[in-house]
Structure formats: structure tokens, C-alpha cells
Amino acid sequence: MPASNQEKKQRGDLVKKLLKDILVLTEQFGYITHIEENYSIGKVGYTDQKQFKAHYLIRFADNTEWILFTTTSIRDRVKQQYWDAFNLKEINPRITSAYLVYPDSIEDN
């Protein structure tokens, strides 16, 4: 039986929370220096300054940054995340890498 939209949203929220927990722990150990959730910026000269989005931006001690996306469904969403990653990296030269986090499995609890 196909999952309902509510179930899909709950799984997506769970994966995002699990990644955040890992990032917070990583920050506590000093591997990263900053975590920004729901990172968004826009191109100069355009009215929408939240045009491109990533679930997380993380910063390292050398001021390089990575953007992270999560998904539980690879299908057509990858195209949008690729587009956002391309533009975010163009706008912010400190972003050196973009990663899409896709879980092997998701536990209900």
C-alpha cells in the first residue's frame, strides 16, 4: 500500500532531525564550527533573497562551508536540489561541496 503524504512528511522530518542530531554532535566534538538550518540566499539584483535553499549549511574552522540536503525519495526532487546547490555555490564561494543525504533505511521509532 502506498504511503500517504502525511507518512512521507513524517519520514522526511525524521531524516532531517537525525541528520541535525549528527551535525550537533559533530559540532560539539569540534569538527565543524557552525550549523545553519534552512539556509537560503538569492542572487544580487533579484527581489527574492531566499531564492535558493539547502536544509543545512555547515562551516569548518578554515571557513569553508558545505551545504546538505536530505530526502527520502530520490525521484524528481534531485533536479531541484541540484539546481539550488549549483546556484548556492555560485553565490557563496565559501561553499566548496554539496551533499544529498539519503538514508539506507528509516526506523519508525
Side-chain angles (χ1 to χ4, degrees):
M1 173 183 254
S4 71
N5 285 341
Q6 181 64 28
E7 291 170 327
K8 291 176 188 176
K9 182 185 180 326
Q10 288 173 341
R11 281 197 305 272
D13 290 346
L14 176 61
V15 169
K16 193 174 174 189
K17 182 194 177 311
L18 291 171
L19 179 56
K20 183 177 182 179
D21 291 346
I22 292 168
L23 292 174
V24 167
L25 186 62
T26 305
E27 183 180 37
Q28 290 172 352
F29 281 113
Y31 296 114
I32 60 178
T33 60
H34 176 74
I35 304 165
E36 185 172 336
E37 192 170 3
N38 299 318
Y39 177 70
S40 61
I41 55 176
K43 289 191 175 183
V44 174
Y46 288 80
T47 56
D48 186 359
Q49 288 304 298
K50 295 184 180 221
Q51 183 177 14
F52 305 106
K53 300 168 178 58
H55 291 128
Y56 296 99
L57 174 123
I58 58 173
R59 185 174 303 124
F60 297 91
D62 66 356
N63 282 326
T64 60
E65 297 174 339
W66 292 358
I67 48 176
L68 307 174
F69 300 88
T70 64
T71 188
T72 57
S73 174
I74 289 293
R75 298 185 325 202
D76 58 341
R77 293 186 181 94
V78 172
K79 184 176 179 182
Q80 179 63 45
Q81 292 167 335
Y82 178 80
W83 177 248
D84 282 344
F86 174 83
N87 282 285
L88 289 167
K89 287 176 71 180
E90 184 178 85
I91 296 166
N92 180 350
R94 290 188 314 258
I95 298 173
T96 60
S97 298
Y99 294 96
L100 175 62
V101 179
Y102 181 76
D104 288 339
S105 66
I106 302 170
E107 299 296 326
D108 289 336
N109 55 8

